[in-house]
Amino acid sequence: MSAVQIRRRGLLLVFSSPSGAGKTTITRRLVERDPDLALSISVTTRPPRPGEVDGRDYWFISRQRFDEMVAGGELLEHALVFGNYYGTPRAPIDEALAAGRDIVGDLDWQGTQQLAAKVPDDLVAVFVLPPSFAALEQRLRVRAQDSDPVVAGRMAKSIEEISHWPEYDYVIVNDTIDAAVAKAHAIVTAERLRRVRQTGLAEFVEGLRSG
Ligand code: 5GP
């Protein structure tokens, strides 16, 4: 018997965490193992870090282009984070949701609040906590792509970011990455099964009745 496909609306899965808590790794691993999940590539005015690739990690754009995108309504949300601007391009999200595909993004709490106001029915917001502050600082240092003052600044910001955890639907403590990815995958599976997202259910049940 072939797999039963029920038409559904896509979901917009958002991960937030203090930097270094592992949300980027979790989102990338989720996308690798799930062909129905696409990554939302944000725009940013921050310069690329070594190893970052335009169009894969971010779209690296000028401040002028960013302002144009905001003015033209091309961003679903945008925020100033650590002195740089970030935003989520609207078009890929609209297309994915309408086509019943899911999209995952990595945003700060400000972006998540904006999405909660704009697309409340499509949003599933997940907060990732580090197992400890020591682990968080260690991860920031191992990454070693930021200077000491930047690491210190990000640690201070982490405390502020963490204070927003009650605004999220789910919270994952990232003690081991494999377990965190498995938990994230469980969230995606459950959220896809929500009755309201399965827009083709009435049709499917009608088909069951008529044999
Ligand atoms: P980083 O510069 O370390 O890649 O990211 C810094 C922060 O910006 C992280 O908290 C990340 O989640 C957030 N961020 C990345 N992309 C976006 C975006 O499109 N919108 C918002 N609001 N925040 C973002």
Side-chain angles (χ1 to χ4, degrees):
M1 200 180 90
S2 62
V4 174
Q5 287 281 353
I6 295 174
R7 187 163 40 82
R8 64 181 181 86
R9 181 157 174 89
L11 57 90
L12 174 55
L13 187 67
V14 161
F15 285 86
S16 297
S17 74
S19 38
K23 66 179 175 295
T24 311
T25 312
I26 294 174
T27 53
R28 289 188 187 266
R29 292 263 300 267
L30 263 186
V31 169
E32 277 164 23
R33 64 186 261 185
D34 190 330
D36 290 334
L37 204 52
L39 200 59
S40 163
I41 309 293
S42 297
V43 294
T44 182
T45 61
R46 158 169 91 58
R49 297 195 185 109
E52 284 185 329
V53 176
D54 190 44
R56 185 194 69 187
D57 298 289
Y58 283 103
W59 298 106
F60 296 99
I61 62 171
S62 67
R63 177 66 200 277
Q64 188 192 344
R65 176 70 190 120
F66 187 88
D67 290 344
E68 280 168 17
M69 291 184 86
V70 172
E74 292 176 62
L75 299 178
L76 196 54
E77 62 75 34
H78 60 93
L80 178 64
V81 189
F82 309 128
N84 295 300
Y85 290 90
Y86 295 81
T88 303
R90 177 191 296 273
I93 306 245
D94 286 349
E95 281 162 28
L97 295 182
R101 278 181 283 114
D102 306 314
I103 194 148
V104 54
D106 158 346
L107 312 183
D108 84 325
W109 64 269
Q110 305 173 83
T112 308
Q113 280 190 353
Q114 292 171 44
L115 295 182
K118 279 192 182 156
V119 287
D121 296 342
D122 299 320
L123 183 68
V124 177
V126 184
F127 200 89
V128 180
L129 285 172
S132 67
F133 269 119
L136 188 66
E137 191 164 2
Q138 169 72 5
R139 283 180 199 166
L140 283 178
R141 290 199 181 282
V142 168
R143 191 157 76 176
Q145 291 179 352
D146 291 320
S147 61
D148 269 7
V150 173
V151 171
R154 283 178 180 241
M155 278 305 289
K157 284 279 182 190
S158 293
I159 295 165
E160 187 190 324
E161 182 83 26
I162 283 177
S163 72
H164 289 276
W165 69 267
E167 296 157 27
Y168 285 72
D169 301 312
Y170 295 94
V171 176
I172 295 176
V173 177
N174 183 14
D175 40 11
T176 70
I177 188 70
D178 286 344
V181 172
K183 287 170 187 168
H185 195 72
I187 292 169
V188 175
T189 303
E191 288 289 337
R192 283 176 176 160
L193 292 173
R194 274 191 190 273
R195 176 175 46 76
V196 289
R197 291 218 170 86
Q198 300 195 70
T199 50
L201 268 182
E203 201 183 327
F204 176 70
V205 173
E206 199 50 46
L208 285 181
R209 284 220 197 99
S210 58

